[in-house]
Amino acid sequence: MKISKLKQTLIVALLSSGVYPAMAQAPAKEQEAKLIAVLQSNAEFLQKADACRELARIGSAECVPVLAGLLADEKLTHMARYGLETVPGPAADEALRAALGKLKGRPLVGVIGSLGVRHDEKALAALAGLLKDGDAEVVQAVARALGKIGSAEAAKPLLATLPDVPAISQLAVCEGLFRCAEALAASGQNDKAIVIYDTLRNLKQAPHQVLAGALRGAILTRQKDGLPLLLEALRGSNLGLMLAAERIAIEMKVAEVSKVLADELAKAAPDRQLVLCNVLGKRGDATALPGLLGLAKAGDKAARVAAIRAAVEIGNAAAAVPLTELLKDAEGEVAQAAAAGIAGLPGPEVDACVLRLLGSGDQAVKLKMIELVSQRRIATALPLLLKIRDDKDEALRSAAIRCFAELASETEISSLLDRLVTNTNAAEIAAIEKALAAICAASADPKACVAKLVAALPKAGPEAKVALLRTLGVAGGTEALNAMRAAVDDSNKDVHTAAIRGLCEWKTGEAAPLLLALAKSSSGQVDKILSLRGYLGMAAKQDVPAPQRLAICRESASMIQRDDEKLLLLAALANLADPESLNLIVPCLDVPAVKREAVATVIAVAEKRQKSQSVEITRAALKKAAEVVTDKPELAKRAHELLQQMETEK
Amino acid sequence: MTTDPKANSAVTRRQFLKRSAAASTVFAIPTIIPASALGKGGAVAPSNRIVMGGIGIHNRGGSDLTWMMGEPDVQFVAICDISKERREAVKQTIDSKYGTKDCTMHRDIREFLVERTDIDGVLIATGDHWHALASILAMRAGKDVYSEKPSCMTIAEGQAVADTAREYCRVYQTGAQRLSEPNHVFAIETARSGRLGKVHTAYAHIAPWDAAIMGNAWKPAQPEPPKDEVDWDIWLGPCPWRPYNSSYVQGDWRGLYDFHTSCIGEWGAHTFAQAQAGINALDTSPIDYKYVDNPTGDGMVTTFANGAKMVLSRGDKYWHGSCGERFDGPEGWVAAADGYSKPDASSPALLADFKKVIAEYIARTQRPMNHVRDFFDCIKTRRQTVANAEVMYRSMSTVHAANICMWLKRDVKFDPIKAEFVNDAEANRLRSRAMREPWII
């Protein structure tokens, strides 16, 4: 059938519009007819290939003859199968089957593969006949296709050919048999599956992966009756099978496996103990715990470590107490594994065990327990930590304070403050500050927290005061701000500086008037600069309305003397889409050290300009910017572009 | 494939030695290993090393290679690539790392797998359309496999990878490395452990580039180079033939149906596994996919059989960073994404448990927070990796089902047990694609 040139062009356009837009095409029958016409025409390869793609999605029995006709075409054979493989119904099966006797080489290999994908049982006899083909690729494709069909009938020719199959195709035949065995076991034909697995595992000269897979199938399909096979492999001298058995034992759902393997632990050599521990840990069955914990106490070091890890992996709190007994083991790795194990074991019983040791252990054990309390976040340890924080041992004391601070909640604020106010130990102060900051940040009632912090200020030493001020900054609020301002007048220099810095970093614009006043009134140059910078920083706060930000910039501009602050001013102005800010930027165009930044700021403001805003100020600023920026042609170019845009607005 | 009993027995002996060392601490040697097997100066003895080969190492594969070569018990000895230029570049990288000249180069994966019977595992970082096939060929040859993501092009391919790993007892890891990173593990474990209450919704990031709707255009034909320079036929592998253009080989194939899995697969290959892990759904896929009328799948709601939802999200609405996931429960939410030092959570109290959650995870699973290390440990212990073949198959089935939903522009229902769409012949036809001969699996 020939189609007109116009029609062909339309179809080509339809096909080339992308794969999935084409999927939304309607009436499938009409579309299929058009696609068939393409295949029957003298269209180019691409158009025919695309027609096959589309037929894979919508083709019916109607398109089968024409697709089948292309199977022998070396160039189009794949695309013909691409179309045929998903066509529902027997017509496609029959066409593929019919092609078996007509094709050779790779087209034949492809057709065999497609019959496998379609699970065509009626192709069994023809496929089986090809198992003796001289082309190894054909034999391998047949073996895998029979496997995909996966019935007892499909397995028969594979079993028959296995003893004599050439080495090059042996693996494919094994794979076909694996597939058959899996399908048979899945349909309840375990006896037939076992025959296949046993045949494969007794195969002479088989690759290690085949023997491993066959052992797996043979054991799992036998279920509980597979236990002797499993043990034989685990005990045996064939290392490949032993490794496979290890994996199979992890996978095996039979409950008895854990007990049998746990019983094996005591009898096994250290290398096999490692294997058994690995399996028992992964199985997660608590019945293995006594055996593992027994092994953890004595024996080969590597096996002891493996036993501890396995006991922990099972995740049962009953392992906690025996593990604590290993914390001071002479073998460092054993002690380390025990500590790591306790840290990761879940459950309140484990927490209780840690607390007991925290209360009764010696210094080394207590230190380890503090670490575990911290890691496990055992809040009930707080009273004990309170006691230990007064211990005469400095390491223990510091660890307790750090841990206490980590676990403390709002109810511990007073206790933390008591500890803080007279403290001079930098590490302890830092830990307490961190805890207070976290508590204030998370508090539902920050005002109450602030009140306690403010009340503690008069009692605090300078180091503690600095920490308290920083914490007030985290908490925020009017009372905290007032306390911060008051601390500016503190006679201690560190406290004074911390207060100014606290105001500069204040989270909201509330601090702006205080900073302005300080910038104007401070007698020290450093204080003046810090306050002015802090004040300028307020222009970036989200809670400060835009007009107020501009006012801050304007006020700052009148006080700025140094180039560094000019740069800060320019940065603040760049964020204000207000042409009025240009009046503050333009003077900077004459300052060599900040000229380039000033030009960039002019451009930034001009780019944000609303059309409703005045053109004149912006145009003047851009013109001057373009003139002064002699060393950055891209900036000058951008300034000119913006000027041109403004011209077109007219 | 050939059978070489001598090679097999060598492999098994070596594997056992390696496995024994893995169970000990920091390569402490169990009694079975004679002193003569020890390396000198703290190095891992040759008999204890995992011997690796690379397949298609380029771009991301180069990072994987560097990462893997940093492991003291790993040695790369061969590179297989269709491009001569890349073969030589990777050989140079490997040889200079070890101060040797014996990294072998191979063009054809079939010959490579037959010749190098001494190799334990392979790193596969080819173009996406080769990930599954290369994995299957390697596992058939008895190798363990680390495959870059997305690790399959169709639902059927994913299933074939899982079947092959199971049949041959192979260790397989897909490159969904966030399953081994503390921030993501924290988010997953926080959700999984009930700290958020029963999680009702997970969110998974899809790539912010490309679309779900894909094209199939050919690039202009260029003269095909000699096979030794670039083996174009092997590069195409199981995909429909098209004329050579060098840009495909350079990686310019995103958005093309034959070679790519869309913006959904690009990151979904990571994030769907992350999201499914947090709702205990790594062994299944959603049963319901609601079409969204946009080009990308952004906002698609999928639902698992247990009622939990997983929502595809393209932007930064639920996290700050890339490849993120988030879990919402009645008692809070937690999210993780790349580029941030800590995960996000609805309350500081949840985050305060970070160390505890990670410690419990490590104790329970005995897995390292290092994806390639997990792979190598599993090679030694023969256990399943964290992102094993089944995890890959299920999470990628979710990717493919979501893509099919977008391509058909309508809702679809999926049966994860049968691995088929429910009463939906049209969707079921998209579960597989006929593979070009001779690359039939």
Side-chain angles (χ1 to χ4, degrees):
Chain A
M1 188 175 94
K2 295 280 178 193
I3 55 172
S4 73
K5 194 84 180 167
L6 176 64
K7 204 170 177 185
Q8 193 176 319
T9 309
L10 283 172
I11 294 166
V12 168
L14 175 147
L15 289 170
S16 59
S17 62
V19 177
Y20 290 101
M23 283 193 176
Q25 308 287 325
K29 279 285 157 206
E30 191 184 321
Q31 200 184 346
E32 183 178 16
K34 289 177 182 171
L35 297 166
I36 290 170
V38 171
L39 292 178
Q40 290 174 325
S41 75
N42 54 0
E44 298 290 322
F45 173 84
L46 172 59
Q47 291 136 25
K48 289 192 175 181
D50 282 347
C52 293
R53 279 178 191 278
E54 190 58 4
L55 287 170
R57 190 182 73 86
I58 61 151
S60 69
E62 296 293 316
C63 71
V64 168
V66 67
L67 286 172
L70 298 171
L71 287 171
D73 181 327
E74 291 241 341
K75 275 192 84 178
L76 277 165
T77 184
H78 171 234
M79 293 314 294
R81 283 194 303 106
Y82 198 102
L84 271 176
E85 206 171 275
T86 56
V87 171
D93 294 328
E94 284 159 15
L96 287 163
R97 236 178 282 143
L100 283 178
K102 299 174 194 162
L103 302 176
K104 287 205 176 304
R106 292 203 166 161
L108 175 59
V109 167
V111 165
I112 292 166
S114 292
L115 284 165
V117 169
R118 292 178 65 88
H119 304 280
D120 180 18
E121 295 224 27
K122 289 184 181 168
L124 270 179
L127 288 173
L130 289 167
L131 273 173
K132 299 286 181 197
D133 197 278
D135 183 340
E137 280 188 348
V138 169
V139 174
Q140 290 167 20
V142 167
R144 294 195 166 101
L146 287 170
K148 281 191 175 164
I149 293 168
S151 61
E153 289 306 305
K156 278 182 190 167
L158 290 170
L159 283 168
T161 201
L162 186 62
D164 310 317
V165 70
I168 195 170
S169 297
Q170 185 197 45
L171 189 65
V173 173
C174 292
E175 187 161 314
L177 284 166
F178 273 131
R179 290 175 180 176
C180 289
E182 283 213 335
L184 290 167
S187 63
Q189 300 178 72
N190 284 5
D191 50 343
K192 289 177 180 156
I194 288 169
V195 168
I196 293 174
Y197 287 129
D198 285 349
T199 304
L200 289 172
R201 72 190 181 85
N202 290 317
L203 199 59
K204 297 274 187 293
Q205 309 246 312
H208 66 88
Q209 65 271 24
V210 168
L211 296 178
L215 181 69
R216 176 185 173 277
I219 292 173
L220 295 183
T221 312
R222 282 181 168 91
Q223 300 175 25
K224 191 179 170 185
D225 293 340
L227 261 170
L229 260 180
L230 179 77
L231 277 176
E232 181 188 323
L234 283 170
R235 290 170 180 159
S237 59
N238 184 321
L239 298 172
L241 293 182
M242 195 274 297
L243 289 165
E246 187 176 5
R247 177 164 178 157
I248 297 159
I250 295 169
E251 196 181 341
M252 214 168 162
K253 297 206 187 320
V254 175
E256 290 85 346
V257 174
S258 298
K259 184 172 182 330
V260 169
L261 298 188
D263 290 347
E264 193 78 0
L265 265 179
K267 298 177 257 175
D271 59 327
R272 303 303 158 116
Q273 285 176 333
L274 295 177
V275 172
L276 293 167
C277 288
N278 179 42
V279 171
L280 290 168
K282 305 290 173 295
R283 289 186 61 80
D285 185 341
T287 57
L289 264 185
L292 288 167
L293 292 169
L295 177 59
K297 283 184 194 165
D300 177 85
K301 183 179 72 178
R304 292 179 67 197
V305 170
I308 291 170
R309 288 181 181 169
V312 173
E313 215 173 340
I314 288 170
N316 191 304
V321 173
L323 290 180
T324 60
E325 289 160 12
L326 299 171
L327 286 171
K328 294 172 78 177
D329 196 274
E331 291 285 5
E333 286 172 25
V334 170
Q336 200 182 335
I342 298 168
L345 268 179
E349 304 94 322
V350 186
D351 290 350
C353 178
V354 171
L355 288 183
R356 267 199 306 280
L357 286 168
L358 182 63
S360 60
D362 62 17
Q363 192 243 11
V365 169
K366 277 183 178 167
L367 269 175
K368 180 52 78 182
M369 290 307 110
I370 289 174
E371 200 181 313
L372 293 182
V373 164
S374 163
Q375 197 164 344
R376 299 179 64 85
R377 299 198 57 77
I378 308 174
T380 50
L382 285 169
L384 265 175
L385 291 169
L386 263 178
K387 278 188 197 168
I388 299 171
R389 73 181 193 178
D390 292 322
D391 198 281
K392 54 181 182 279
D393 183 285
E394 190 183 343
L396 200 53
R397 201 171 60 233
S398 291
I401 288 171
R402 275 199 306 277
C403 185
F404 185 89
E406 275 178 36
L407 298 178
S409 63
E410 219 160 327
T411 51
E412 278 80 38
I413 284 191
S414 300
S415 176
L416 285 165
L417 288 171
D418 285 350
R419 188 72 191 186
L420 176 69
V421 288
T422 54
N423 212 320
T424 54
N425 180 309
E428 290 183 13
I429 289 174
I432 296 170
E433 182 189 335
K434 194 174 163 193
L436 288 170
I439 291 167
C440 291
S443 173
D445 186 4
K447 281 187 180 171
C449 295
V450 166
K452 288 178 183 167
L453 296 175
V454 171
L457 273 170
K459 294 174 269 179
E463 296 93 336
K465 237 180 213 175
V466 169
L468 281 170
L469 290 173
R470 281 196 291 256
T471 312
L472 284 169
V474 173
T478 306
E479 193 187 350
L481 181 63
N482 291 339
M484 192 73 80
R485 172 62 191 88
V488 172
D489 300 328
D490 198 288
S491 57
N492 182 283
K493 195 181 163 196
D494 292 339
V495 176
H496 164 81
T497 307
I500 289 193
R501 288 191 186 279
L503 289 175
C504 291
E505 290 160 12
W506 203 253
K507 291 186 285 189
T508 64
E510 213 180 347
L514 300 175
L515 286 163
L516 177 61
L518 284 169
K520 285 181 174 172
S521 65
S522 291
S523 52
Q525 186 64 10
V526 174
D527 287 354
K528 265 185 183 300
I529 291 171
L530 279 177
S531 304
L532 181 56
R533 286 179 158 226
Y535 181 56
L536 256 174
M538 294 294 141
K541 301 289 179 195
Q542 291 301 313
D543 67 317
V544 178
Q548 198 182 326
R549 290 189 206 181
L550 186 60
I552 289 172
C553 291
R554 203 179 291 124
E555 192 78 45
S556 303
S558 66
M559 293 189 285
I560 286 174
Q561 292 175 346
R562 302 181 339 141
D563 292 341
D564 285 352
E565 281 69 58
K566 283 186 180 132
L567 290 173
L568 287 176
L569 173 66
L570 289 170
L573 291 168
N575 290 322
L576 295 173
D578 188 336
E580 273 192 47
S581 64
L582 292 168
N583 293 329
L584 301 174
I585 303 168
V586 168
C588 294
L589 292 170
D590 297 322
V591 181
V594 300
K595 183 176 71 180
R596 195 184 295 170
E597 288 76 10
V599 170
T601 311
V602 167
I603 289 170
V605 173
E607 282 174 336
K608 290 176 190 162
R609 188 184 68 87
Q610 305 290 317
K611 285 190 178 173
S612 57
Q613 291 171 339
S614 161
V615 174
E616 297 310 318
I617 303 172
T618 311
R619 187 187 294 140
L622 280 170
K623 276 184 179 168
K624 182 161 185 182
E627 282 167 21
V628 299
V629 65
T630 50
D631 57 341
K632 275 276 177 189
E634 65 273 21
L635 288 178
K637 186 181 167 203
R638 182 61 188 142
H640 284 301
E641 283 171 359
L642 288 166
L643 279 166
Q644 274 179 359
Q645 273 178 29
M646 290 169 71
E647 290 303 314
T648 60
E649 283 176 28
K650 289 177 181 174
Chain B
M1 304 297 153
T2 56
T3 305
D4 180 351
K6 236 172 109 183
N8 291 336
S9 87
V11 167
T12 53
R13 172 67 183 162
R14 200 177 59 241
Q15 282 177 337
F16 182 57
L17 294 175
K18 287 169 191 163
R19 180 251 163 275
S20 302
S24 186
T25 310
V26 201
F27 310 117
I29 305 300
T31 53
I32 191 171
I33 299 180
S36 59
L38 290 169
K40 289 180 181 172
V44 177
S47 59
N48 244 354
R49 285 184 206 142
I50 296 168
V51 181
M52 290 287 295
I55 300 176
I57 308 297
H58 181 52
N59 290 339
R60 172 68 199 172
S63 309
D64 290 339
L65 178 67
T66 306
W67 190 6
M68 288 183 168
M69 287 198 303
E71 295 297 312
D73 54 342
V74 170
Q75 182 155 13
F76 273 80
V77 298
I79 171 66
C80 174
D81 202 304
I82 54 96
S83 159
K84 184 182 180 191
E85 189 185 346
R86 285 190 204 152
R87 285 195 295 274
E88 289 175 346
V90 173
K91 173 181 167 57
Q92 192 178 8
T93 304
I94 291 173
D95 283 348
S96 29
K97 164 75 182 172
Y98 301 118
T100 58
K101 290 182 177 173
D102 53 7
C103 172
T104 58
M105 296 188 289
H106 310 261
R107 175 180 55 81
D108 188 323
I109 186 172
R110 294 161 295 192
E111 291 166 16
F112 163 61
L113 292 171
V114 167
E115 285 167 22
R116 293 306 302 252
T117 51
D118 58 326
I119 286 177
D120 299 309
V122 290
L123 160 63
I124 296 169
T126 56
D128 295 355
H129 65 288
W130 252 102
H131 287 160
L133 180 57
S135 299
I136 289 167
L137 295 179
M139 290 192 287
R140 276 180 187 166
K143 316 298 182 200
D144 295 324
V145 167
Y146 185 101
S147 169
E148 258 310 324
K149 49 60 61 177
S151 292
C152 61
M153 295 296 296
T154 64
I155 293 170
E157 266 193 7
Q159 194 167 25
V161 170
D163 288 348
T164 310
R166 191 177 59 247
E167 280 162 6
Y168 292 118
C169 284
R170 292 299 90 202
V171 169
Y172 174 96
Q173 175 99 299
T174 185
Q177 71 273 9
R178 289 169 188 81
L179 293 179
S180 303
E181 291 178 3
N183 285 356
H184 293 279
V185 168
F186 171 77
I188 290 164
E189 288 298 302
T190 298
R192 218 187 53 80
S193 61
R195 284 174 166 85
L196 308 173
K198 186 173 170 17
V199 172
H200 50 76
T201 310
Y203 298 87
H205 212 172
I206 55 174
W209 59 82
D210 293 326
I213 309 302
M214 306 188 76
N216 197 42
W218 282 4
K219 295 176 193 297
Q222 294 173 347
E224 204 173 310
K227 273 192 188 309
D228 186 52
E229 295 289 328
V230 173
D231 192 326
W232 176 239
D233 189 59
I234 295 186
W235 189 91
L236 283 169
C239 299
W241 182 88
R242 63 175 60 207
Y244 174 78
N245 182 296
S246 60
S247 66
Y248 294 119
V249 182
Q250 297 307 319
D252 186 15
W253 39 257
R254 287 192 161 74
L256 293 175
Y257 179 73
D258 288 343
F259 309 128
H260 196 219
T261 55
S262 91
C263 63
I264 295 176
E266 188 69 40
W267 277 7
H270 286 294
T271 60
F272 290 6
Q274 291 154 214
Q276 290 184 214
I279 50 177
N280 283 320
L282 277 176
D283 57 352
T284 186
S285 294
I287 57 169
D288 188 69
Y289 300 75
K290 295 285 182 222
Y291 173 65
V292 282
D293 189 9
N294 63 45
T296 65
D298 184 21
M300 180 190 289
V301 177
T302 70
T303 309
F304 289 87
N306 66 4
K309 296 190 186 310
M310 186 181 85
V311 181
L312 282 57
S313 184
R314 188 168 164 108
D316 272 355
K317 193 171 166 189
Y318 300 107
W319 38 70
H320 307 285
S322 51
C323 285
E325 77 279 6
R326 169 170 154 149
F327 303 100
D328 283 12
E331 291 164 37
W333 59 265
V334 63
D338 290 2
Y340 281 76
S341 57
K342 290 279 177 197
D344 289 334
S346 52
S347 81
L350 283 171
L351 282 179
D353 278 349
F354 185 87
K355 277 196 228 167
K356 181 182 181 183
V357 168
I358 298 297
E360 283 181 0
Y361 172 81
I362 292 172
R364 177 170 57 78
T365 64
Q366 294 292 310
R367 292 196 190 280
M369 291 287 94
N370 176 331
H371 207 53
V372 303
R373 189 64 250 167
D374 180 53
F375 172 62
F376 294 128
D377 286 353
C378 291
I379 287 183
K380 292 176 174 181
T381 61
R382 309 313 300 166
R383 67 183 291 201
Q384 296 275 18
T385 60
V386 67
N388 58 58
E390 184 71 12
V391 169
M392 182 281 291
Y393 162 49
R394 295 302 182 177
S395 54
M396 284 304 296
S397 291
T398 310
V399 163
H400 295 310
N403 266 331
I404 289 168
C405 170
M406 290 303 293
W407 296 341
L408 297 178
K409 298 184 185 295
R410 60 173 171 76
D411 301 347
V412 293
K413 291 192 183 299
F414 186 67
D415 179 343
I417 296 167
K418 293 182 181 167
E420 63 184 37
F421 293 91
V422 180
N423 299 325
D424 194 337
E426 189 182 23
N428 279 327
R429 293 175 77 158
L430 296 168
R431 287 177 304 158
S432 68
R433 300 171 197 171
M435 302 176 93
R436 194 166 65 99
E437 56 284 340
W439 307 105
I440 310 283
I441 53 173

